[in-house]
Amino acid sequence: MVDYEILHQFVTFYRTGTLRETAEKMHISQPTLTRNMQKLEAEFGVPLFNRTKNSISLNETGILAAEDARMLLKQTENMLQRTRDFDRKKRTIMLGACTPVYIPELIHRITAVYPTAAISSEVQKIPLLLEGIRNGYYHAVLLPFCPEDNDLSCRKWGEEHLSFLLPKRHRFARRKSLSVSEMNGENMLLFQDIGFWHDLVVEKMPDSRFLVQTERYTFMELIENSTMPVFTTDYSFDSLPDSVSIGSRVAVPITDPAFNVSYYLVCKRNASPKIIDRLWP
Amino acid sequence: MVDYEILHQFVTFYRTGTLRETAEKMHISQPTLTRNMQKLEAEFGVPLFNRTKNSISLNETGILAAEDARMLLKQTENMLQRTRDFDRKKRTIMLGACTPVYIPELIHRITAVYPTAAISSEVQKIPLLLEGIRNGYYHAVLLPFCPEDNDLSCRKWGEEHLSFLLPKRHRFARRKSLSVSEMNGENMLLFQDIGFWHDLVVEKMPDSRFLVQTERYTFMELIENSTMPVFTTDYSFDSLPDSVSIGSRVAVPITDPAFNVSYYLVCKRNASPKIIDRLWP
DNA sequence: ATGAATTACGGACCCCGTAACGATA
DNA sequence: TATCGTTACGGGGTCCGTAATTCAT
């Protein structure tokens, strides 16, 4: 039976051209390599080498065989990789969320209960989350509402309340609360990775323009060094620079119910394992 | 490092379902197989089996891996086969001939000079023989003429003279010789495997119909038991039944030069090895 | 004379089979 | 209790590296 290791040596010899160099690369002695090439040739049953007393090279057949062998080795590696990938996929918990804010917590909690599992998480549009949890692509999704679907079970995970973060000299800076319609038309800074909030904001403030920032640092700098309103939440408040929260800006809560959401972790009712049931023991 | 022998055992286990039966088929002991499957699993690095204390079966990943492995083994076989085929092709002398009659002699002579070579011979149309010798497909061809081509070298191999074999009561049975035009229009028996003669005969006797016989035995029987003329040659004369040559039929030589041919063995002038030069030392 | 491949030789280690064991139907 | 799979153990074979040899540049 053809030996994978020897095939590997053979291909390496094909690339290098001398036994000495090949032996060095493969970390074996040269006599071993000589013997192995003899074995291989015997296994093929046809001449693969041109030999003189002190040189050896592949003949035409040997070149053909080496190229075949190279592909075979690659396919062998592919087999291993495919199998490992499949196994990994089997033990991967697919997690979808409408917002990035809770993902670290979710991963932390899930990891505690499924220590051997891999977790693949992503922020995705709500319709795709619903579709994905129904068709089995996701094992759990985090939604800003509890879907009324008998196939799904649902458990409250947390809340988030949006406020406008306004410069102190803003005309609404002294208000105790605001509705989004009052701010409609006013241009705002917006951070890119805020999940479903993005669509909601654009929908509820159709006359405003939003300056979307992709870089966290730039976004923070602009908060400090501009007078444009931004959103903030009771969740992310902590991570803002002190100068903002105590200094040049004030947070004014938004009254609209759509901006004060409860998040729900959703699983298929008959899923196994049912992640929800494991997270709340 | 993955071991193809163990992969083979793995695939066999995939087919049989129990280690015991697999061990039997593979002619190894069961403990060996147990160990090898453990090795394989370690090599893949992911679980491939469902195990209870006294049973073992492939899990989903294992099935996937086994199917991959099956293909991989097939590809290793293909590699070996391709290499062997290529080698064989390298050491095969390709021989073409316009007539089957000299092929055994040619093979015999060539084998004597190239004892390790394989010889692939076939009867083919003359234009294809010419094309084949020019483009290198054939190493040598037998033609009924010497082509005037400086790239080809040419050596006379033998001669063949056609006669009509006529029933004694045939109107031409007493003639010393005949031209084919005199026989044109008369229907004749014809044996199928006569190479280039077939086209020549049809061309020169356009008004005759030829009853082509594919079976040697049937052909011989019809010679004895019918009055239809047939062709015979000084080459094949010996092989006709005695009753024909001395009994009910007589051979009348054909005068046309086209029916009295010399055969030439043709090689490329710069071929190596040049078969012609080796056949006449 | 240096460097290449091959052959010779001795020892380590791997791998196999027999035997013993555990568990399940 | 018979069958299947796993673990234990001992011996033989294989395979490797060092050393020696041969040949060519």
Side-chain angles (χ1 to χ4, degrees):
Chain A
M1 181 66 65
V2 37
D3 182 320
Y4 179 91
E5 184 63 37
I6 293 181
L7 272 188
H8 191 191
Q9 295 165 5
F10 181 56
V11 171
T12 303
F13 173 70
Y14 171 51
R15 293 198 221 276
T16 61
T18 73
L19 292 187
R20 188 197 57 77
E21 196 179 345
T22 306
E24 205 169 304
K25 276 196 184 173
M26 297 269 100
H27 306 104
I28 55 175
S29 70
Q30 198 192 59
T32 299
L33 196 53
T34 293
R35 280 190 298 265
N36 286 350
M37 294 304 100
Q38 289 166 345
K39 269 188 228 166
L40 188 78
E41 202 172 20
E43 174 68 33
F44 274 83
V46 300
L48 301 175
F49 301 95
N50 296 317
R51 302 166 193 275
T52 72
K53 276 296 179 184
N54 73 338
S55 84
I56 182 172
S57 60
L58 292 172
N59 65 19
E60 211 184 347
T61 311
I63 291 170
L64 187 86
E67 280 165 354
D68 261 21
R70 191 174 52 78
M71 288 195 292
L72 196 63
L73 294 181
K74 188 160 201 157
Q75 282 161 345
T76 305
E77 287 311 309
N78 288 347
M79 175 187 71
L80 292 177
Q81 201 52 53
R82 265 196 300 273
T83 305
R84 287 165 186 155
D85 286 349
F86 184 83
D87 176 78
R88 180 183 173 76
K89 192 179 164 192
K90 273 208 307 186
R91 61 181 70 257
T92 294
I93 290 173
M94 297 295 288
L95 178 64
C98 61
T99 167
V101 293
Y102 282 111
I103 286 183
E105 272 183 43
L106 277 165
I107 291 177
H108 185 253
R109 285 284 296 277
I110 293 172
T111 304
V113 179
Y114 300 94
T116 65
I119 301 174
S120 170
S121 63
E122 63 178 348
V123 174
Q124 190 50 279
K125 303 265 189 210
I126 289 170
L128 291 178
L129 293 174
L130 282 168
E131 182 188 336
I133 191 66
R134 289 198 178 102
N135 70 20
Y137 178 75
Y138 292 116
H139 296 100
V141 295
L142 188 72
L143 292 172
F145 56 87
C146 184
E148 297 181 1
D149 185 331
N150 280 332
D151 270 4
L152 302 179
S153 68
C154 197
R155 178 114 186 198
K156 185 167 171 181
W157 178 264
E159 296 182 6
E160 191 174 18
H161 305 281
L162 251 65
S163 302
F164 287 109
L165 195 60
L166 305 175
K168 284 189 169 163
R169 298 177 52 195
H170 191 279
R171 60 194 159 110
F172 290 146
R174 315 235 167 204
R175 291 278 289 275
K176 292 290 173 235
S177 65
L178 270 172
S179 95
V180 282
S181 59
E182 294 179 273
M183 287 286 285
N184 184 25
E186 196 150 344
N187 295 347
M188 296 188 64
L189 284 175
L190 209 54
F191 189 62
Q192 190 174 48
D193 294 333
I194 56 171
F196 81 107
W197 289 121
H198 187 103
D199 290 351
L200 189 62
V201 159
V202 171
E203 178 195 338
K204 299 292 188 184
M205 298 177 65
D207 301 326
S208 291
R209 292 189 54 197
F210 297 95
L211 284 72
V212 176
Q213 298 300 312
T214 56
E215 296 231 2
R216 187 97 197 146
Y217 177 78
T218 309
F219 182 65
M220 289 305 187
E221 285 294 306
L222 286 173
I223 289 177
E224 286 195 79
N225 302 311
S226 78
T227 59
M228 297 193 77
V230 298
F231 290 100
T232 185
T233 83
D234 52 359
Y235 184 94
S236 64
F237 202 85
D238 296 339
S239 65
L240 291 175
D242 283 355
S243 59
V244 172
S245 51
I246 65 173
S248 61
R249 294 199 178 227
V250 293
V252 181
I254 299 174
T255 53
D256 308 53
F259 288 77
N260 294 273
V261 305
S262 292
Y263 292 111
Y264 295 87
L265 192 63
V266 181
C267 283
K268 260 214 176 129
R269 186 170 297 283
N270 57 0
S272 96
K274 198 167 160 192
I275 292 175
I276 285 185
D277 293 348
R278 299 285 301 275
L279 290 189
W280 286 272
Chain B
M1 191 63 65
V2 41
D3 181 326
Y4 287 124
E5 184 63 40
I6 294 181
L7 273 188
H8 189 193
Q9 296 165 7
F10 181 55
V11 171
T12 304
F13 173 70
Y14 171 52
R15 292 198 222 277
T16 61
T18 74
L19 292 188
R20 187 195 59 75
E21 196 179 344
T22 305
E24 205 168 305
K25 277 196 183 174
M26 297 269 99
H27 306 104
I28 54 173
S29 69
Q30 197 193 58
T32 298
L33 196 53
T34 292
R35 280 190 300 265
N36 286 350
M37 294 304 100
Q38 288 165 346
K39 271 187 226 166
L40 187 79
E41 201 171 22
E43 175 65 35
F44 274 84
V46 299
L48 302 175
F49 301 95
N50 296 316
R51 301 167 194 274
T52 71
K53 278 294 180 183
N54 73 338
S55 83
I56 183 170
S57 60
L58 292 172
N59 66 20
E60 210 183 346
T61 311
I63 291 170
L64 187 86
E67 281 165 355
D68 261 22
R70 190 174 52 77
M71 289 193 292
L72 196 63
L73 292 179
K74 189 160 199 156
Q75 283 161 345
T76 63
E77 286 311 309
N78 289 347
M79 175 186 69
L80 293 177
Q81 200 53 54
R82 264 196 299 273
T83 305
R84 288 165 185 155
D85 286 349
F86 184 83
D87 176 78
R88 179 182 173 75
K89 191 179 165 192
K90 272 207 308 185
R91 59 179 74 259
T92 294
I93 291 173
M94 298 295 287
L95 178 63
C98 63
T99 166
V101 293
Y102 282 111
I103 286 183
E105 271 182 44
L106 278 165
I107 290 178
H108 185 254
R109 285 284 296 277
I110 293 172
T111 303
V113 179
Y114 300 95
T116 65
I119 302 174
S120 171
S121 63
E122 62 178 348
V123 173
Q124 190 52 277
K125 303 263 189 212
I126 288 170
L128 291 177
L129 293 175
L130 283 167
E131 182 187 336
I133 192 65
R134 290 202 177 98
N135 69 20
Y137 178 76
Y138 293 115
H139 297 99
V141 294
L142 189 72
L143 293 173
F145 58 88
C146 183
E148 296 181 3
D149 185 332
N150 280 333
D151 271 2
L152 302 179
S153 68
C154 198
R155 177 115 188 198
K156 184 168 171 182
W157 178 265
E159 297 183 3
E160 192 174 16
H161 305 281
L162 251 63
S163 304
F164 288 110
L165 195 60
L166 306 175
K168 284 190 170 166
R169 299 178 50 195
H170 191 278
R171 61 194 160 110
F172 290 147
R174 314 237 170 201
R175 291 277 289 275
K176 291 293 173 228
S177 64
L178 271 172
S179 94
V180 283
S181 59
E182 295 179 271
M183 287 285 287
N184 183 25
E186 197 152 342
N187 295 347
M188 295 188 63
L189 283 175
L190 210 56
F191 189 61
Q192 190 173 48
D193 294 334
I194 57 172
F196 81 108
W197 288 121
H198 187 103
D199 290 352
L200 190 62
V201 158
V202 170
E203 179 195 338
K204 299 292 188 182
M205 299 176 65
D207 301 325
S208 290
R209 292 188 56 198
F210 297 95
L211 283 71
V212 176
Q213 298 300 312
T214 56
E215 297 232 0
R216 187 101 197 142
Y217 178 77
T218 309
F219 181 65
M220 289 305 184
E221 285 294 305
L222 286 173
I223 289 177
E224 286 196 77
N225 302 310
S226 78
T227 58
M228 298 194 76
V230 298
F231 290 101
T232 185
T233 83
D234 52 359
Y235 184 92
S236 64
F237 203 85
D238 295 339
S239 64
L240 293 175
D242 282 356
S243 60
V244 172
S245 51
I246 65 173
S248 61
R249 294 199 177 226
V250 294
V252 180
I254 300 174
T255 54
D256 309 53
F259 288 77
N260 294 274
V261 304
S262 291
Y263 292 112
Y264 295 86
L265 192 63
V266 180
C267 283
K268 260 216 175 126
R269 186 170 298 282
N270 58 358
S272 94
K274 198 167 158 193
I275 292 174
I276 284 185
D277 293 347
R278 299 285 300 275
L279 291 188
W280 286 272

